[in-house]
Amino acid sequence: MEFLMAIVVGILFMAAVYLILSRSLLKVILGTGLLSHGAHLLLLTMGGLGGNSPPVLADGVSVSDYADPLPQALILTAIVISFGVTAFILVLAYRSYAESKTDNMNLMKGNDEHD
Amino acid sequence: MNFVLLIFLPIVAALFVPLLYRKLKNVHTGWFVLLVPVVLFIYYIGFIKTTMEGGHAISELKWIPSLGISFVSYIDGLSLLFTLLITGIGALVVLYSIFYLDKNKEKLNLFYVYLLIFMSAMLGVVQSDNVISLYLFWELTSISSFLLIGYWNTRDRSRFGALKSMMITVFGGLMMLGGFVLLGIMGDTFSIRELIANAPSFVGHEFFTLALVLVLLGAFTKSAQFPFHIWLPDAMEAPTPVSAYLHSATMVKAGLYLVARFTPIFAVSEVWIWLVTGIGLLTLFWGSLFAVKQTDLKAILAFSTISQLGLIMSLLGAGALAFHSDDPIFKFATFAAIFHLINHATFKGSLFMIAGIVDHETGTRDIRKLGGLMSIMPVSFTVAFIGTMSMAGLPPFSGFLSKEMFLQSMLAIRHFELFNFATWGIIFPVVAWIASVFTFVYSFYFVFKTFAGKQKSEPLPLKPHEAPIGMLVSPVILATLVVAIFFIPNLIGKWFVKPAVIAIQPSLYSHPSEVAVDVAAWHGMTDPAMWMTVAIVGVGLLLFLTMARWQKLYDIQPEYLSLNGLYDSVMLFSEGGMNKISRFYMTGLIRTYLIYMFAFIAAITAATLFIKEAFIVDMDSFSPVNLYGILTAIVLVIAVGMVLLAKTRLSAIIALGAVGYSVALFFVIFKAPDLALTQLVIETISVALFLLAFKYLPALNNHGETKRNKLVNLIIAAAVGITVTLVALSAHSQKMIPSISQFYKDTVATEAGGGNIVNVILVDYRGFDTLFEIAVLSIAGIAIFAMIRLKLSRKGESTDENK
């Protein structure tokens, strides 16, 4: 299963990088969203996908059957943080569009005064 | 007495100069400054007795003892000779400058502060026994020289000359520091005396030749050796007292001092001998050749200085042969070097002062406008005549003696047998002879074109008259010395030269009296050097008389093909060329930078993976494939494809939502209930946010992205994606140590009293992560609020949106 997941993660990264390199600001934000999904799945995959039951203590489940809880805790933290950042970028994009009237990344660059 | 502190006396005196300048307007500040070199000169004369016995005096001031760095005043024959030159000529130059610089028109406070700093720095260079403090003073001479050359800082040429000399000498200084550090590593000490004592163990060390070349670079740049001589002619924009002091008598000899001081360490090396002798001779030749081309009095003297420094340098190189051969003639070469060093300091100092006087009294230094000053300025002419005849190497002036010794040493090199000298050695006397002819020509050119002949029809800017007596004192004293040295060479030898020679060749002698050199003006008819001198005079006179015909030959070489042209283009390139290069890759487009980053991440990671042969896939470590997993993966990949191909914003946002929900499904399949919950909620909110922003964001637009752009993006994206997959697979296949999670599973109930292991990790085992994740969310919230509410206009004026 990890083999398949590694490929899925690779596809997510590839799509994310492709979007981030594009000229439209909205696509760049979509790309960061895909990138964080890829990173979260990568974390989970690297922890091992072998667990038969969720990491919650229950009667009759042996310790070795629990899925690894540590990557899950890490991913949970990462999800919240990437959400905060995505929300921030989104509003930033809205504000920059309102100010500069463009979402073309090629036009968003310093002018010569700032060289 | 702790005489190391005397090194700092000029700097301390410099602190009071501005005060004196301001308070005592009626007295020329130079009179107070004059006290400093005079006091120092008188004090240091007291050491002659010690060094004549072959002894030395030492005084130390700890600076950074833990690193072995200290200020040491180590006075042996060599240091003392230089110290006396610095203080003695320093006193004469200050005296001269009192009459040269007008106290009402010039900023004397600055001039004397710079000059005193320079004096301290120079004393430090020649007395330091510690290479680090030597380097410190060395750079201080570069800086104070920079300030002095640029003294008339409203002139473009002054600033150009100052910058040029700074660039070249600081480059050399830095190289030299590298050499010193390597020496420190090899000898495990920064003390020059200890380095000399350890020197035999350096031979064959891997750093030896590198250290040698680096130290020589420092010496060559400072002493204006080929091809680093180009800064010296441009440094002539400095006031003439500065040219006389720094750029003929003292600072440019710092490189010679360095070569002499390090001879006991490096002389065993063939590279040293070839470089020092060869470059010295080349500089001698080059400088004398181009001195004839110049039309400015000071430029002639600058090239002459370059040439004479080369002469001394080549003699120091020849003297290093004494470490390999018992032939007494090579020991003689070192004596000749030091002897000529003294001669040069005296006659060149006086010549610069005369050039300054001519400039001061006629208003021009252009030799084409001058002529016939002999009867108007008889004293200046006499001094100039003595100086130039000594420079040309004619009797009865001191230069004659050193030129004879020089020719003898160069002739002797032919007979040296090691290092291929038997084959190439004949070049040395030939080049030396030609250079001497040109030296003769430019010496005559300097004195006779200025003072002899008729006055030019065109009137001079000022009506020429003899200089005031105060201005003439210093050059007359120096000229007297030039003549005196001719008659008492052996006394000079005994007092100054022999103690210096044993400092340069400590392993060969134990007492100065063992330096068996007897200088005589007359060697008899059989001496080849005498006949060479006769030939020099003959050919030189012939060339001088026909000068008008062949001087035009110099115009053949275009300016841009010169070494100055090379320097200028290097400077232009480092400014304009580097600017072009950075503009080429710093496009200002985020995409370009992201391409650099992603491409390098992919390339470096993949390369490491394969170079280290780390790519291993261990199928046994993988868990069994799960049907639901495959289905979810297919859904996710389709959703990703839709995000990529979406034509409208809405479909892209929905597809992104689909990706998020598939990820949540994966969390369900892989037994992560908390993650699944969070992911579902967050994905919902995210999509809602996207939809909220939807109204305000522009429609999806390619902004004219070309096929080529897309292809590049695709290649880089594919590279990153594949690299991530490969790294993930090999990382998973090679687990080094078991997971720490076993501890959490075992102790979650007993230690933390909880059942949900993930939650307990979040708030108990690793609660700090959670605390700051909360902080991140709050900051994001505040920032979003601020961005929406706070609308500062571009010019920084706040515009209240509630208005």
Side-chain angles (χ1 to χ4, degrees):
Chain A
M1 195 66 216
E2 280 88 347
F3 193 87
L4 180 68
M5 289 308 290
I7 292 170
V8 169
V9 168
I11 290 171
L12 275 170
F13 266 79
M14 184 175 150
V17 170
Y18 183 79
L19 285 172
I20 287 172
L21 290 179
S22 70
R23 287 189 189 177
S24 156
L25 185 56
L26 185 63
K27 283 192 181 175
V28 174
I29 299 173
L30 291 172
T32 58
L34 288 184
L35 195 67
S36 46
H37 287 319
H40 300 157
L41 281 182
L42 183 64
L43 273 175
L44 193 72
T45 313
M46 290 294 99
L49 302 171
N52 287 327
S53 60
V56 179
L57 291 189
D59 291 337
V61 180
S62 76
V63 169
S64 60
D65 275 348
Y66 293 129
D68 194 339
L70 191 56
Q72 295 191 13
L74 296 182
I75 295 167
L76 199 59
T77 311
I79 288 175
V80 176
I81 289 174
S82 64
F83 167 70
V85 175
T86 306
F88 177 79
I89 299 178
L90 208 55
V91 177
L92 189 64
Y94 149 67
R95 285 292 298 147
S96 95
Y97 183 66
E99 288 286 327
S100 64
K101 304 287 179 231
T102 180
D103 71 326
N104 185 347
M105 298 294 282
N106 273 11
L107 298 180
M108 293 188 204
K109 59 180 204 173
N111 51 27
D112 283 341
E113 285 167 38
H114 298 115
D115 267 359
Chain B
M1 182 189 158
N2 210 352
F3 58 84
V4 63
L5 296 172
L6 282 181
I7 292 178
F8 301 99
L9 178 70
I11 282 194
V12 174
L15 293 176
F16 296 99
V17 165
L19 191 75
L20 289 168
Y21 176 71
R22 202 148 297 173
K23 291 287 168 205
L24 298 164
K25 278 277 178 200
N26 296 325
V27 189
H28 196 289
T29 318
W31 290 112
F32 304 109
V33 177
L34 185 59
L35 277 176
V36 176
V38 168
V39 165
L40 287 174
F41 185 75
I42 292 168
Y43 179 79
Y44 283 118
I45 277 183
F47 286 98
I48 292 181
K49 213 165 148 27
T50 317
T51 57
M52 265 172 70
E53 298 299 317
H56 60 79
I58 194 158
S59 165
E60 189 172 5
L61 178 69
K62 295 247 187 271
W63 180 22
I64 312 175
S66 58
L67 296 178
I69 297 172
S70 52
F71 291 111
V72 187
S73 176
Y74 171 72
I75 296 186
D76 62 357
L78 187 63
S79 314
L80 185 66
L81 170 65
F82 273 91
T83 305
L84 291 177
L85 281 180
I86 292 160
T87 49
I89 297 189
L92 295 177
V93 162
V94 171
L95 180 65
Y96 175 77
S97 72
I98 293 171
F99 295 92
Y100 187 84
L101 296 172
D102 191 295
K103 71 169 185 283
N104 299 319
K105 289 180 195 152
E106 304 283 354
K107 288 168 281 185
L108 290 177
N109 49 346
L110 298 180
F111 181 80
Y112 286 111
V113 167
Y114 301 157
L115 200 72
L116 286 170
I117 293 174
F118 171 78
M119 202 178 286
S120 263
M122 211 50 219
L123 286 176
V125 165
V126 299
Q127 294 185 4
S128 283
D129 182 54
N130 188 293
V131 285
I132 301 299
S133 57
L134 170 58
Y135 170 73
L136 181 87
F137 288 119
W138 185 275
E139 293 297 35
L140 198 57
T141 64
S142 295
I143 293 167
S144 48
S145 166
F146 169 79
L147 292 168
L148 283 167
I149 297 170
Y151 172 68
W152 284 311
N153 55 21
T154 49
R155 300 183 189 170
D156 279 345
R157 296 288 314 165
S158 295
R159 293 198 305 268
F160 175 77
L163 185 65
K164 190 171 183 179
S165 73
M166 180 84 156
M167 295 299 284
I168 293 176
T169 53
V170 167
F171 160 76
L174 270 178
M175 297 296 118
M176 189 185 81
L177 177 64
F180 285 168
V181 170
L182 291 180
L183 276 176
I185 293 169
M186 284 193 284
D188 203 26
T189 173
F190 285 133
S191 158
I192 297 173
R193 279 172 307 141
E194 288 169 32
L195 284 172
I196 291 173
N198 296 347
S201 67
F202 298 165
V203 183
H205 195 284
E206 53 177 334
F207 293 153
F208 183 71
T209 309
L210 183 59
L212 185 161
V213 172
L214 289 176
V215 170
L216 271 188
L217 269 177
F220 285 171
T221 49
K222 198 70 153 187
S223 275
Q225 298 294 294
F226 187 89
F228 305 112
H229 63 272
I230 50 173
W231 66 266
L232 190 60
D234 284 309
M236 290 301 129
E237 296 302 323
T240 303
V242 173
S243 307
Y245 188 35
L246 274 68
H247 306 126
S248 74
T250 54
M251 189 182 81
V252 287
K253 294 204 167 70
L256 299 175
Y257 168 80
L258 197 73
V259 168
R261 182 54 88 196
F262 283 87
T263 294
I265 297 178
F266 291 122
V268 289
S269 159
E270 180 188 354
V271 182
W272 175 268
I273 292 168
W274 268 108
L275 274 179
V276 176
T277 320
I279 296 285
L281 211 59
L282 178 59
T283 312
L284 164 65
F285 177 71
W286 195 268
S288 66
L289 196 62
F290 280 88
V292 188
K293 181 190 177 183
Q294 309 305 320
T295 52
D296 178 55
L297 288 184
K298 279 175 83 177
I300 300 173
L301 292 178
F303 276 96
S304 139
T305 303
I306 292 168
S307 157
Q308 303 279 309
L309 291 170
L311 187 153
I312 301 170
M313 192 68 90
S314 67
L315 279 174
L316 285 173
L321 293 173
F323 288 82
H324 302 275
S325 163
D326 288 333
D327 195 338
I329 188 72
F330 300 120
K331 299 175 183 172
F332 183 72
T334 308
F335 183 94
I338 299 298
F339 189 67
H340 190 63
L341 195 146
I342 299 173
N343 287 342
H344 179 250
T346 48
F347 71 68
K348 193 52 65 67
S350 72
L351 286 179
F352 267 108
M353 291 175 188
I354 292 301
I357 287 173
V358 169
D359 186 16
H360 204 267
E361 306 308 334
T362 65
T364 181
R365 295 198 312 250
D366 193 327
I367 202 160
R368 289 166 299 189
K369 294 181 187 157
L370 294 166
L373 295 174
M374 201 190 286
S375 52
I376 305 170
M377 304 168 79
V379 183
S380 306
F381 168 69
T382 314
V383 173
F385 183 76
I386 293 172
T388 46
M389 291 308 113
S390 178
M391 184 155 75
L394 295 178
F397 306 106
S398 60
F400 173 70
L401 302 173
S402 39
K403 177 132 301 171
E404 294 281 279
M405 284 191 269
F406 168 64
L407 292 171
Q408 281 165 356
S409 308
M410 286 299 129
L411 281 169
I413 285 189
R414 278 182 308 157
H415 306 304
F416 188 71
E417 279 155 5
L418 291 172
F419 315 146
N420 288 328
F421 271 96
T423 324
W424 299 103
I426 187 69
I427 295 173
F428 288 83
V430 171
V431 174
W433 185 81
I434 299 174
S436 300
V437 171
F438 277 99
T439 307
F440 183 91
V441 175
Y442 73 67
S443 300
F444 270 59
Y445 173 55
F446 179 85
V447 69
F448 289 116
K449 294 280 180 198
T450 312
F451 291 99
K454 277 183 279 182
Q455 283 208 38
K456 297 280 152 44
S457 50
E458 202 180 325
L460 291 164
L462 299 172
K463 189 170 160 40
H465 55 82
E466 184 58 280
I469 187 94
M471 218 180 207
L472 285 168
V473 170
S474 300
V476 166
I477 291 174
L478 287 171
T480 316
L481 279 175
V482 171
V483 181
I485 291 172
F486 179 79
F487 291 105
I488 51 161
N490 289 314
L491 218 50
I492 297 289
K494 194 172 151 206
W495 287 348
F496 303 110
V497 184
K498 289 181 182 177
V501 170
I502 68 156
I504 301 173
Q505 299 171 330
S507 58
L508 303 180
Y509 311 101
S510 55
H511 193 274
S513 58
E514 289 173 31
V515 184
V517 178
D518 187 42
V519 190
W522 181 248
H523 295 281
M525 299 296 278
T526 50
D527 181 31
M530 211 250 333
W531 291 110
M532 281 173 87
T533 309
V534 170
I536 288 170
V537 175
V539 178
L541 268 179
L542 194 70
L543 279 175
F544 172 67
L545 293 173
T546 55
M547 226 177 121
R549 294 199 197 138
W550 54 270
Q551 208 182 14
K552 294 187 201 81
L553 285 175
Y554 284 109
D555 299 334
I556 295 172
Q557 177 219 23
E559 187 54 33
Y560 64 88
L561 272 180
S562 62
L563 285 162
N564 283 317
L566 184 70
Y567 170 85
D568 290 342
S569 50
V570 166
M571 281 306 172
L572 274 180
F573 175 76
S574 54
E575 201 180 315
M578 293 298 161
N579 218 338
K580 264 184 207 150
I581 290 175
S582 48
R583 273 179 193 281
F584 169 73
Y585 75 92
M586 304 279 284
T587 57
L589 300 175
I590 291 179
R591 175 174 173 265
T592 324
Y593 304 147
L594 286 170
I595 285 179
Y596 298 152
M597 288 185 223
F598 284 130
F600 274 92
I601 289 170
I604 292 170
T605 318
T608 314
L609 202 60
F610 288 103
I611 289 167
K612 295 280 175 193
E613 294 177 349
F615 182 64
I616 296 164
V617 180
D618 177 13
M619 284 297 180
D620 296 339
S621 71
F622 297 151
S623 52
V625 178
N626 161 330
L627 178 65
Y628 296 115
I630 296 175
L631 289 176
T632 316
I634 293 169
V635 171
L636 189 142
V637 171
I638 291 172
V640 169
M642 281 171 65
V643 175
L644 288 177
L645 298 173
K647 293 279 175 229
T648 64
R649 293 171 290 167
L650 198 56
S651 50
I653 291 168
I654 290 171
L656 184 69
V659 174
Y661 290 124
S662 329
V663 172
L665 270 182
F666 269 127
F667 290 151
V668 173
I669 294 165
F670 295 133
K671 316 288 185 225
D674 300 288
L675 286 187
L677 278 174
T678 317
Q679 178 68 27
L680 278 174
V681 172
I682 295 259
E683 198 55 40
T684 310
I685 300 174
S686 294
V687 171
L689 253 178
F690 269 103
L691 290 175
L692 260 178
F694 176 83
K695 186 180 157 200
Y696 301 100
L697 286 178
L700 271 189
N701 189 340
N702 273 339
H703 296 296
E705 206 153 17
T706 60
K707 280 233 165 68
R708 197 163 146 265
N709 268 345
K710 284 184 178 171
L711 190 67
V712 171
N713 291 359
L714 188 67
I715 291 168
I716 287 169
V720 171
I722 292 167
T723 310
V724 169
T725 304
L726 296 183
V727 170
L729 286 175
S730 36
H732 192 270
S733 301
Q734 305 172 74
K735 290 239 160 108
M736 299 289 180
I737 45 170
S739 169
I740 195 178
S741 300
Q742 195 57 43
F743 169 76
Y744 296 130
K745 291 176 188 170
D746 289 341
T747 60
V748 67
T750 52
E751 296 282 332
N756 184 331
I757 308 177
V758 174
N759 288 4
V760 171
I761 289 176
L762 282 174
V763 297
D764 193 328
Y765 290 116
R766 301 177 57 90
F768 266 121
D769 288 1
T770 313
L771 176 65
F772 291 110
E773 154 197 346
I774 292 167
V776 168
L777 264 193
S778 338
I779 292 168
I782 294 167
I784 288 169
F785 179 75
M787 262 197 299
I788 292 174
R789 289 301 300 251
L790 202 64
K791 288 183 178 168
L792 298 176
S793 74
R794 266 163 209 265
K795 282 167 192 156
E797 300 160 359
S798 64
T799 46
D800 192 356
E801 62 175 348
N802 297 331
K803 216 184 262 178

